[in-house]
Amino acid sequence: MTVTFHVLGPLEVRSAGRPIRISGRKPRLLLATLLLHANQPVAADQLVEVLWPERAPRSALANLRTYASSLRAALAAARAAGDTYGEAAMLRGLAQVALYRDRYEEAADGFTRSRRLFRELGDPRAEATSVCGLGAVSQFGGRHARALGHFKQALAMFLSAGDPHGEAFTRQAIGRACIKAGDLAQASESLGQAMRLAQELGDAHREGCVSLQMGTLHGAMSFHRHALEIFESLGDRHCGAYALQSLAGLQVDRGELAPASAGLERSLLVFRELGDRSGEASATQLLGELHRSAGRTGLALDYLNHASALRRELPA
């Protein structure tokens, strides 16, 4: 007995021929998007853009937790039907939602279980996507060496499967992890390969993400501005906010405090609207440091204290 997912036309989930009720338009959109990208990582901003194409509410990322109930219903049905692939896909989808909400332990558990099931099923592309998820969990937790190991393992799987999109994603992830680890030569090589692949594939979003990392690597505003232009052309406010934040860091280093402050305030507004608490905390911290360097001690303390409070709210 299996669970079937029909995504051409109205979304339908059936177990043993019987329909499983997935209530609400946005939960169905969330499930359909994860299913259509079953063998590649889906960024939080992509989900937000699909669910709220015009303007996302401040609670956007928090709402993903509510909509995840639709995935849990599908997961329960897959288990009841003995459908291992459906179970693995739903476990990974729930892990991705947990990752977006900074629930790292929950995310790691879901990615680990889904990886094991995909390996048993002999699907290396799907397994590699779960391994990428484990790499992201390690990276967000500050375990950069472990993250790099996961990403390199995933890259080998994508190369073996002949998946250029997966290869582009993991080469970018390796480059980012190498920057954190201080291996700048390897970072440059990996990001260069990721950029070439993104351009060959016509993947503008990936090109923007790689440009952002290359800007960090080389300390070059041109890369950050290119990334910002791409994200704005795609209507991706979330990634655009991270581009603004990175650009502001370089502007502060060059003493350009006014444009840096304006960019950070713009990014802070987006993070608040989308409910990205981690992004909000980092932007608030940078604003505090900026005001402190400008001699505005009282204002700096307000921002820095608020940043500390936001970080305390994040899961360990």
Side-chain angles (χ1 to χ4, degrees), residues 173-188:
I174 288 170
R176 185 174 58 239
C178 286
I179 291 174
K180 295 289 187 181
D183 187 349
L184 303 188
Q186 181 60 58
S188 181

Side-chain angles (χ1 to χ4, degrees), residues 212 228 231 236-247 263-264 266-271 274 283:
L212 202 54
L228 183 58
F231 295 139
D236 186 343
R237 298 171 65 240
H238 197 200
C239 279
Y242 277 105
L244 282 168
Q245 187 179 99
S246 296
L247 180 59
L264 287 171
R266 283 177 59 193
S267 70
L268 182 58
L269 180 62
V270 173
F271 291 138
L274 298 182

